[in-house]
Amino acid sequence: KQEVTQIPAALSVPEGENLVLNCSFTDSAIYNLQWFRQDPGKGLTSLLLIQSSQREQTSGRLNASLDKSSGRSTLYIAASQPGDSATYLCAVRSLSEKLVFGKGTKLTVNP
Amino acid sequence: EADIYQTPRYLVIGTGKKITLECSQTMGHDKMYWYQQDPGMELHLIHYSYGVNSTEKGDLSSESTVSRIRTEHFPLTLESARPSHTSQYLCASIFGVEQFFGPGTRLTVL
């Protein structure tokens, strides 16, 4: 059974810092991995999707990497801003097309 | 990007009431999903559908039921709401290889 773990559970940083969020998964037989952002009481916004054959994806200040063999992904946020404050969720899509989510990392960027 | 609509956004209701949470999308996506998320916890898949008249239970056991009579609609029903059903319910669909989510319904059962 696929399990997804995100470390740390919470992170507080000053504005302008570069930071890394970690995601690990137990079963490397995945279809893709998707990073989401969730604001309090809201739905999920898709940030980046990495196919199993890819190593990384970039969008603006965000860069996500995938090492399928070791079961790890990282989300790098450059020059963090207070508006980046949210919970970041990692989700792995198995070959059966179901998504398995981690518990998320709650990020606070202080002005 | 997919537009997924959920109504109501917030619902407070008494124990024993029957409720239906609506989810709709206008993109013609075949694959749709319902997730349940308790505060501070991960999302759990409770139902999914791969097309009209196709519904399956997800990984987390749920007392809710779903139907898929039309491609655009994937409503979730609780026949008799209980306080243990208090949670956020998120609807999603897949567009290409990417999953997109609606804004969610926050349900509180008193």
Side-chain angles (χ1 to χ4, degrees):
Chain A
K1 179 185 174 185
Q2 180 74 271
E3 293 182 1
V4 179
T5 303
Q6 290 188 245
I7 295 174
L11 181 63
S12 181
V13 300
E15 182 176 3
E17 273 205 7
N18 303 323
L19 55 100
V20 175
L21 308 182
N22 296 292
C23 171
S24 61
F25 47 95
T26 55
D27 186 351
S28 62
I30 65 170
Y31 185 66
N32 60 37
L33 184 145
Q34 202 166 348
W35 282 93
F36 294 90
R37 168 186 172 139
Q38 186 175 31
D39 293 289
K42 302 287 182 64
L44 278 66
T45 301
S46 179
L47 297 173
L48 288 166
L49 180 144
I50 309 177
Q51 295 283 67
S52 61
S53 58
Q54 297 175 323
R55 298 283 293 182
E56 66 177 339
Q57 283 288 332
T58 298
S59 176
R61 294 182 294 108
L62 305 179
N63 176 275
S65 68
L66 174 65
D67 185 342
K68 198 174 73 164
S69 60
S70 66
R72 295 179 188 275
S73 176
T74 61
L75 179 66
Y76 175 82
I77 303 177
S80 58
Q81 303 171 356
D84 295 331
S85 298
T87 295
Y88 290 81
L89 295 166
C90 168
V92 172
R93 188 171 166 195
S94 67
L95 299 180
S96 68
E97 299 193 335
K98 295 179 184 178
L99 274 185
V100 178
F101 284 83
K103 291 185 178 181
T105 293
K106 184 176 181 180
L107 173 66
T108 302
V109 181
N110 301 301
Chain B
E1 186 159 324
D3 288 327
I4 302 172
Y5 307 97
Q6 289 188 245
T7 57
R9 293 292 313 281
Y10 304 92
L11 180 61
V12 180
I13 201 164
T15 296
K17 299 292 185 181
K18 177 180 179 179
I19 60 170
T20 297
L21 309 184
E22 299 288 349
C23 174
S24 63
Q25 47 92 8
T26 57
M27 302 298 290
H29 300 166
D30 288 326
K31 297 173 183 173
M32 297 187 73
Y33 304 80
W34 275 103
Y35 293 86
Q36 183 175 343
Q37 184 183 32
D38 293 330
M41 302 298 288
E42 63 264 55
L43 280 77
H44 290 288
L45 180 67
I46 52 175
H47 298 284
Y48 61 99
S49 168
Y50 286 168
V52 171
N53 295 325
S54 157
T55 61
E56 300 287 344
K57 290 189 178 294
D59 301 322
L60 180 67
S61 176
S62 173
E63 295 171 345
S64 59
T65 59
V66 293
S67 62
R68 192 85 184 277
I69 298 172
R70 289 161 56 185
T71 300
E72 315 86 80
H73 293 150
F74 191 37
L76 181 146
T77 299
L78 278 165
E79 290 292 333
S80 179
R82 298 207 304 261
S84 61
H85 297 141
T86 294
S87 190
Q88 177 160 253
Y89 294 84
L90 291 157
C91 181
S93 71
I94 284 184
F95 178 65
V97 296
E98 203 165 342
Q99 190 156 64
F100 294 94
F101 283 79
T105 293
R106 186 169 293 279
L107 173 66
T108 302
V109 184
L110 304 176

